Amino acid sequence: MEHIIYLGLGSNEGDREVLMRRAVDLLRERIGTVTCLSALYETEPWGFVSPHPFLNAAVGIRTALQPREVLTATQQIERELGRRRKSTAGGYADRPMDIDLLLFDDCILEADYDLPGETGPVHLSLPHPLMHERAFVLLPLADIAPDAVHPVLHRSVRSLLQDLQSRSAP
């Protein structure tokens, strides 16, 4: 069975554009057919202070893999592209590559997995629990999947982005 998944990509260390292209190539090789790729957006760090802006994008993929297999592949790709740790003392930090699973069909999932190469369990929440609060996620996702529906909030990506933008407007 094939699944439609959407991933968020972010990079704020190193040659960000090269890292983003390499991440997409590795996703294509290991996860499935890349069906769409958003524009690149430069954004300020979210949840921490850094002088290094992010490049963010969203990618749509058709895959036969299950959520755990996708998570295993994305964690490995992050490490290969220079990611040292997922977070610092429970917070966020600069990183060469971050890949978040945003939507996996209409799957709703909370699970902890022991994955190869990780020091402890890795938690997966589907849909991504903070995506509706992050313009740097919704803006590129709206480029490629404006009508995709958040399976918990039952709202389209376009609607979530419009709501977030109206709350952020001066």
Side-chain angles (χ1 to χ4, degrees), residues 59-74:
V59 61
I61 300 175
R62 195 171 51 243
T63 184
L65 300 180
Q66 295 301 309
R68 179 187 180 129
E69 296 168 306
V70 172
L71 182 62
T72 299
T74 59

Side-chain angles (χ1 to χ4, degrees), residues 100-167:
D100 288 330
L101 281 75
L102 304 174
L103 297 169
F104 195 106
D105 293 331
D106 60 356
C107 180
I108 299 170
L109 174 71
E110 292 286 337
D112 291 310
Y113 298 115
D114 291 318
L115 301 179
E118 298 297 328
T119 57
V122 176
H123 186 74
L124 177 60
S125 294
L126 289 171
H128 190 286
L130 298 175
M131 66 180 275
H132 63 286
E133 298 175 11
R134 297 174 169 178
F136 67 87
V137 170
L138 292 175
L139 194 58
L141 188 57
D143 276 358
I144 62 171
D147 297 321
V149 175
H150 189 292
V152 173
L153 301 176
H154 306 290
R155 293 180 57 202
S156 71
V157 169
R158 177 186 297 113
S159 171
L160 293 170
L161 177 60
Q162 289 169 342
D163 183 54
L164 184 62
Q165 289 173 328
S166 70
R167 290 194 321 253

